[in-house]
Amino acid sequence: MTPADLVIRDAEAADLPAVRALLVETWHATYDGIYGWQRVAEITNAWHSLENLGAQLGRENGAFLVALVGSEIVATASARTERDRAALLTRLYVLPAWQGVGIGRTLLQVTLACFPEAPVARLEVESQNEPAITFYERMGFFLQRQARFDGRDDTPNTLLMAKRLFAA
C-alpha cells in the first residue's frame, strides 16, 4: 500500500544532493554484488554527479521526478521521448527502506503519464537484477532483447524491455 502522504513532483535544483545520495545508496544496494563496490562507486560518481543531474532538470522532452514521504525524498524517476515518440525510462530508484510499499509502481505510473503521446515505453535493466525484472514484468513490461550495457564488454548483458501504452 502506497503511503498516504506520498507526493510526486518535478525535481528541483535544491533536491539534487538528496537525489544523488538516494542514487548512490540504491546503486550500492542493487549493484555491489554484480559489479563490485569500486565499479559502482565509479558509475555513481560519473553518472550521478550534481552537474549531470542538474543538466537533466527542465528538459523539454523529458521528465525528472522525485517522490517524497513527508519531507524525505524516497524515490526518483526520469524518462525522455525518443525519436519514434516512445517514452524511454532512464531511471527509477526507490530507497531500499521504502521498497515494496507501492512507491515504485505509483512513480512509474506518474512518470509514464508525462508522455501521453507515447505509443510504447522502453527501459533497460541489468540482466542480473532479478527484483527489478520481476517488478517491471508485474508492471506489464516484456522482454524485447538482450544488449551490452553501454557497449562495454566487461559488463553483463542487460535486458531491453517494453510496454505498449496505447494502440497506435
Side-chain angles (χ1 to χ4, degrees):
M1 186 170 92
T2 303
D5 57 345
L6 179 70
V7 173
I8 297 174
R9 63 167 170 77
D10 289 328
E12 302 169 355
D15 299 327
L16 296 182
V19 170
R20 174 171 163 60
L22 178 154
L23 291 169
V24 169
E25 180 178 340
T26 56
W27 266 73
H28 279 292
T30 304
Y31 299 114
D32 279 3
I34 298 170
Y35 296 120
W37 185 90
Q38 184 173 356
R39 179 73 181 123
V40 171
E42 291 170 3
I43 291 170
T44 58
N45 285 336
W47 293 359
H48 306 134
S49 69
L50 294 177
E51 181 180 358
N52 284 345
L53 292 172
Q56 297 169 28
L57 291 173
R59 286 188 173 166
E60 191 173 310
N61 67 340
F64 182 174
L65 305 175
V66 292
L68 297 94
V69 175
S71 61
E72 180 186 8
I73 294 176
V74 299
T76 186
S78 61
R80 67 174 184 261
T81 303
E82 296 285 85
R83 287 190 187 130
D84 64 355
R85 297 182 330 167
L88 177 65
L89 184 70
T90 55
R91 177 185 308 124
L92 177 64
Y93 289 97
V94 179
L95 282 173
W98 287 96
Q99 292 175 5
V101 298
I103 294 170
R105 179 188 68 244
T106 302
L107 183 55
L108 176 62
Q109 292 167 343
V110 171
T111 303
L112 296 180
C114 293
F115 302 90
E117 300 299 316
V120 66
R122 294 188 190 111
L123 60 87
E124 186 173 316
V125 61
E126 162 60 55
S127 64
Q128 296 179 61
N129 187 350
E130 292 177 18
I133 294 165
T134 300
F135 167 79
Y136 289 123
E137 287 174 339
R138 280 195 331 261
M139 297 300 106
F141 284 83
F142 60 90
L143 175 65
Q144 280 192 305
R145 63 184 175 91
Q146 288 189 316
R148 286 280 184 196
F149 188 65
D150 274 359
R152 294 175 54 112
D153 288 331
D154 65 337
T155 57
N157 284 334
T158 59
L159 306 179
L160 302 178
M161 300 181 79
K163 173 182 179 170
R164 183 174 301 282
L165 298 178
F166 70 84

